[in-house]
């Protein structure tokens, strides 16, 4: 398999099943882009045949960023389209802190992939603010870039107990382990710790497919575009929507996940 990383070419052995026979650690000549693949990783094209060539270039016609984010640096085009990896491979992109839009907090940067359906935010990220590098994991190729979330306008906090709390989990049609885990953990938390509130309708739990056109209105309301969990505290008919991003760091830790989410819902019920 030949990997062309912005003009830097290297070759690695892949067997007839598509299994990588050696570990891969590569960086582009300018140091802005790095890839890591573990030995034994299955590397296949869209037809599930062993991957022969990987080509990464800077996209000369990059897509517009989502409405709620800034584009930071270049958009990188990973080819061939449809190439997939099991387990996921690690990708890191570097950025220039002097080029960040005013008000952007470095630790909030993330890598997103762009496909026909729009931008997708991977579940895992790590931001190294000293080396100015963002790392994520991907299981298939797309156009990728660093995005910086725009700070939403501050919302007035509800005063007094909430009238209703909506717990809404969004997912894409193609599910992964983390996606299924978050849904199951959220369902367990709501159904076991908020039985009375569920029965009275003061707490509701919904699972929404963001790619189902019938869900367009609620997807737009919450600003969801990939796997994401939101808690909406409703007081006097006003929505106070917050995304529970931090619970993704607790995936696999059942007790911590449930306790953290339970605390968030209890706080919302109190109007916090």
């Amino acid at each position: 398999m030949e990997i062309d990383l912005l003009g830097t070419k290297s070759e690695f052995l892949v067997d007839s099943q598509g299994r990588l026979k050696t570990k891969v650690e590569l960086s582009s000549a300018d140091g802005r882009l790095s890839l890591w693949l573990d030995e034994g990783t299955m590397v296949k094209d869209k037809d599930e045949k062993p991957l022969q060539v990987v080509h990464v270039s800077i996209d000369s016609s990059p897509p517009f960023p989502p409405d709620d984010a800034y584009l930071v640096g270049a958009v990188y085009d990973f080819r061939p389209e449809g190439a997939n990896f099991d387990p996921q491979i690690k990708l890191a992109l570097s950025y220039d802190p002097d080029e960040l839009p005013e008000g952007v907090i470095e630790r909030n940067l993330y890598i997103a992939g762009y496909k026909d359906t729009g931008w997708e935010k991977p579940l895992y990220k790590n931001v190294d603010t000293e080396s100015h590098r963002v790392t994520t994991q991907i299981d298939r190729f797309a156009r990728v870039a660093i995005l910086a979330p725009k700070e939403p306008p501050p919302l007035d906090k509800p005063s007094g107990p909430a009238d209703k709390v909506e717990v809404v989990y969004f997912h894409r049609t193609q599910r992964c382990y983390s996606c299924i885990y978050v849904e199951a953990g959220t369902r367990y938390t709501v159904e076991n710790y908020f039985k009375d509130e569920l029965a009275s309708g003061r707490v509701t739990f919904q699972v929404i497919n963001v790619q189902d056109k019938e869900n367009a209105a609620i997807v737009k309301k919450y600003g969801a575009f990939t796997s994401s969990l939101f808690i909406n505290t409703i007081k006097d008919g006003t929505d106070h929507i917050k995304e529970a991003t931090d619970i993704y760091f607790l995936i696999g830790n059942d007790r911590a996940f449930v306790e953290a989410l339970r605390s968030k819902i209890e706080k919302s019920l109190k109007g916090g």
Side-chain angles (χ1 to χ4, degrees):
M1 177 178 68
E2 180 184 270
I3 300 180
D4 182 347
L5 205 61
L6 304 182
T8 300
K9 297 182 180 181
S10 305
E11 292 189 356
F12 301 91
L13 184 62
V14 173
D15 68 17
S16 60
Q17 302 301 312
R19 183 176 289 103
L20 188 62
K21 304 300 289 183
T22 185
K23 186 176 183 179
V24 175
E25 296 182 357
L26 286 177
S27 294
S28 59
D30 61 5
R32 287 295 185 100
L33 188 155
S34 298
L35 281 178
W36 295 267
L37 291 81
D38 290 332
E39 180 181 351
T41 297
M42 299 300 293
V43 292
K44 297 184 178 182
D45 62 19
K46 64 180 180 180
D47 298 318
E48 293 301 308
K49 296 179 180 179
L51 198 57
Q52 299 296 321
V53 177
V54 170
H55 184 265
V56 185
S57 60
I58 294 177
D59 194 339
S60 58
S61 301
F64 289 106
D67 293 338
D68 61 352
Y70 301 104
L71 185 62
V72 177
V75 175
Y76 297 93
D77 191 4
F78 283 71
R79 297 284 176 174
E81 183 178 357
N84 56 90
F85 309 91
D86 185 18
Q88 294 179 320
I89 65 175
K90 187 183 293 186
L91 164 68
L93 300 179
S94 297
Y95 61 91
D96 185 342
D98 294 331
E99 295 180 358
L100 295 179
E102 185 177 356
V104 166
I105 300 173
E106 283 189 59
R107 66 175 180 272
N108 291 340
L109 298 176
Y110 62 93
I111 292 175
Y114 185 85
K115 300 177 183 177
D116 293 339
T117 53
W119 289 96
E120 297 181 11
K121 184 178 180 180
L123 297 179
Y124 167 83
K125 75 159 188 177
N126 178 269
V127 181
D128 187 335
T129 57
E130 293 186 2
S131 62
H132 309 302
R133 170 179 284 195
V134 185
T135 304
T136 192
Q137 294 174 340
I138 59 174
D139 60 5
R140 61 189 59 248
F141 275 168
R143 289 185 280 179
V144 301
I146 296 176
L147 297 182
K150 297 178 181 178
E151 290 298 322
L155 296 175
D156 294 331
K157 291 186 177 181
S159 58
D163 299 323
K164 184 178 181 180
V165 172
E166 295 178 342
V167 181
V168 188
Y169 179 65
F170 294 91
H171 67 85
R172 301 182 67 81
T173 302
Q174 185 174 350
R175 311 294 297 272
C176 66
Y177 165 77
S178 297
C179 171
I180 295 171
Y181 182 97
V182 172
E183 178 185 339
T186 303
R187 186 182 301 280
Y188 174 87
T189 304
V190 172
E191 292 181 352
N192 283 274
Y193 291 98
F194 301 96
K195 292 180 181 179
D196 293 341
E197 291 83 358
L198 275 175
S200 68
R202 191 170 175 226
V203 170
T204 62
F205 175 52
Q206 293 176 274
V207 177
I208 305 292
N209 185 341
V210 297
Q211 293 179 297
D212 188 335
K213 293 181 180 179
E214 294 183 359
N215 298 327
I218 190 170
V219 169
K220 182 178 181 180
K221 173 183 175 180
Y222 280 83
F225 62 92
T226 189
S227 175
S228 46
L229 178 65
F230 292 86
I231 298 175
N232 182 15
T233 305
I234 303 174
K235 176 68 175 177
D236 297 329
T238 301
D239 294 320
H240 302 271
I241 299 172
K242 292 183 179 179
E243 184 176 1
T245 55
D246 52 342
I247 56 96
Y248 281 90
F249 294 103
L250 303 176
I251 288 175
N253 188 335
D254 296 350
R255 177 176 294 182
F257 183 97
V258 170
E259 289 180 353
L261 183 55
R262 178 184 179 183
S263 176
K264 287 180 181 293
I265 297 173
E266 288 176 342
K267 183 177 179 181
S268 291
L269 285 168
K270 294 176 182 178

